[in-house]
Each structure stands twice: as structure tokens, then as C-alpha cells.
Amino acid sequence: MTSAIRQIPLDTAIHHHAHDFHQIVIGLRGEAEFEIEGLGGSISAFSGCIVPANHLHFYAGNGDNRQLILDLPHDAFAVTGHQRDLIQLFDAPRFFSLDAALRHYLDFLLQELNLLAPEGRLDPLHGERLAGTLLGSLHARLANEPATPARRLDLVALDRFIDHHLGERLRVADLAAQACLSEAHFSERFRQSTGVSPWQYVMRRRLESARQLVQQSRLPLSEIAARTGFTSQSALSRACRQAFGRPPSQLRRDPRGQLGSPATSSVRGAAAKSLRRK
């Protein structure tokens, strides 16, 4: 397949998506903001970003802006054959700036587009030549530079979001969206940061909140179950037995049981394991 080179402004509203082709975005005028799987940054004239295929990215233009966008399928001529090593550019998202030589090449590329494709229809083979030169030059400059590390997960903000929606059905996709990550990348980075899966972490916070309400309020257990995201009072009771070794009614009478403490030999199950690991 062939690459596609286009010049467009980006909407000032925030959008997000992922696509099955690689992409390079270079600023021509104005500014734009990008967040690519947790790596955030801005691009302006003569700077850009690399968006690997299937990476969720959020983006928005800022005022009057214009971007050069290069779309590259994984089997594009510009990254196959004797140029196949150029695909390494898309191992991870990153931001970059063009040096003086690349700025001159960008100016030449734009003149070629305006001269040979004034209506946006560029000969595919010539487009591949232009794309290959750009990719080769970028690869030569970035190959030995360390990639920019992604920002840490904001667990405090995630805790606030979880607690605010504790009584609702929370999905991994909901948490991933808060972190501007795809589900797969979010789950991987979340486990690296916390040692547990997102589901185990949410269960922990549900149990923490339920225990506090049981011990510090006189709310009916059915209402506590609804407020903390359990489908029923019996589901809450089962979870408390697994985590604390006693049902909510006993926790209310005897508040000495603490979250994650092996009060009895019946502390078992996935919820208890996640609590002990944390």
C-alpha cells in the first residue's frame, strides 16, 4: 500500500481515536496539543510527533493552525524492502523538532506538493519517494536519542474518579479514558504502578468504602451495597467474608476487623489476595 501526505488544520475541539496505520504530524503554522498513550506535548511550526499504529491519541488545534500529516500503512513502500528498518521510528510515540536541514527539506516537500498536487492528488510513487526521504532523515536523527518517557499515572486523580463513580458499573475503558490511554496500555501500566489489576484495585476501594459505611453509619446494608457498587446485599456479604473473614453484620457489631488483616483463616479469594499485595 502507499502512504498519504496531506495538509490540514486540526479542530480546536478535543478529539481522540486510534487507527491501524502509523502517522507523523509536523506543525506548519500555529500550535496543536497531542496526548499519545500517556505521552503529552505540543507541536508548532517545525516540530512534530510520531503516532504509532493502534495507539490511542487525543489531539486539538489551537487557533489558526495547519499541520502536515503523513499516514503510513505498515506495508507502505516507504517502510518496506530496503527501507524496512525505518519502521523502527514507530516503536514508541515521541515528539521531535526539525533541525535546519530538515526545515529546508520540509520547505522543498511543501513546494513539491503545491506544484505537483495543487488539488491534493499526488502521484503515489512520487509521494512514496518524498515520504521515504523524510522518514530516512528522521530515523538518522532520532535512532540514537532516548525516547521521551511517558508521564506517571495520576493515581490520586484516578482514586477521585473511582470514588465519585463507586456506585456505578466501572469498566477498565472508563479508567483508561481518564488517563488518556487505550485499555491495553492502561492495564499494563496500572499493574506496573500498583502491582494489581484495575479490577482488583476498584474492588479494594469498594470494600474500603463499604467497611467505613458499615462501621461509621447506620445505613441499611442494602443501601451500602448500592452505594459501593455491589449488585446486592448478598454480594456485599460474600465480598466482606472473603476480604475480612466476617460478614457486614459482624463488622458493624465488632469494628476491630481491618481491611486486609487476616482476621480468620477464611480470608481468601481474589479480593483478599489483592488487598494483601497492596
Side-chain angles (χ1 to χ4, degrees):
M1 296 180 65
T2 56
S3 307
I5 305 176
R6 51 204 168 99
Q7 302 176 61
I8 61 169
L10 293 179
D11 192 352
T12 55
I14 297 175
H15 297 273
H16 70 277
H17 60 212
H19 35 66
D20 60 1
F21 51 86
H22 305 302
Q23 193 172 72
I24 289 180
V25 182
I26 298 176
L28 301 177
R29 183 175 70 241
E31 294 184 345
E33 299 290 332
F34 277 78
E35 179 96 16
I36 313 163
E37 292 290 5
L39 180 66
S42 61
I43 62 175
S44 55
F46 304 121
S47 65
C49 63
I50 293 174
V51 183
N54 301 311
H55 276 51
L56 179 68
H57 50 288
F58 292 70
Y59 59 94
N62 185 4
D64 179 26
N65 72 92
R66 193 165 185 82
Q67 321 296 324
L68 177 76
I69 298 181
L70 173 60
D71 297 328
L72 283 149
H74 66 89
D75 56 352
F77 297 136
V79 289
T80 56
H82 69 281
Q83 300 184 121
R84 60 184 178 275
D85 59 327
L86 299 184
I87 202 68
Q88 297 171 7
L89 270 172
F90 303 96
D91 286 346
R94 67 192 306 167
F95 290 81
F96 60 85
S97 295
L98 302 184
D99 59 21
L102 271 176
R103 292 185 182 194
H104 286 303
Y105 179 70
L106 176 64
D107 183 59
F108 165 76
L109 189 154
L110 294 173
Q111 291 187 47
E112 283 288 280
L113 293 178
N114 294 332
L115 177 65
L116 300 177
E119 297 180 359
R121 292 190 295 270
L122 181 68
D123 175 71
L125 184 57
H126 190 50
E128 290 298 320
R129 296 190 186 104
L130 294 173
T133 300
L134 176 62
L135 291 178
S137 299
L138 279 175
H139 182 266
R141 289 157 173 77
L142 301 179
N144 297 320
E145 292 186 8
T148 306
R151 60 178 173 81
R152 292 176 178 269
L153 288 179
D154 189 343
L155 293 179
V156 174
L158 284 171
D159 284 346
R160 285 197 300 265
F161 178 80
I162 292 170
D163 292 344
H164 186 69
H165 298 277
L166 207 57
E168 305 170 18
R169 179 174 175 262
L170 280 171
R171 304 170 302 163
V172 175
D174 299 324
L175 303 180
Q178 294 300 305
C180 299
L181 295 169
S182 63
E183 288 188 49
H185 281 84
F186 175 79
S187 295
E188 178 184 0
R189 289 183 55 191
F190 192 89
R191 187 178 286 276
Q192 291 173 350
S193 298
T194 66
V196 296
S197 70
W199 180 86
Q200 290 172 316
Y201 192 87
V202 170
M203 178 59 74
R204 175 190 175 93
R205 296 199 72 82
R206 291 194 196 282
L207 286 166
E208 285 178 337
S209 181
R211 177 181 61 82
Q212 291 176 5
L213 289 172
V214 166
Q215 295 178 341
Q216 299 174 15
S217 78
R218 306 310 301 173
L219 289 172
L221 296 181
S222 59
E223 184 173 344
I224 291 176
R227 287 191 180 193
T228 54
F230 292 95
T231 56
S232 64
Q233 181 176 331
S234 60
L236 172 62
S237 296
R238 285 194 300 272
C240 285
R241 285 181 182 275
Q242 288 182 330
F244 312 128
R246 62 185 71 186
S249 57
Q250 290 186 17
L251 284 175
R252 176 161 279 175
R253 290 195 300 268
D254 180 10
R256 289 177 297 173
Q258 295 298 315
L259 182 64
S261 61
T264 70
S265 60
S266 63
V267 177
R268 62 189 182 277
K273 290 179 182 177
S274 71
L275 299 180
R276 290 200 297 273
R277 289 182 64 183
K278 187 69 177 174

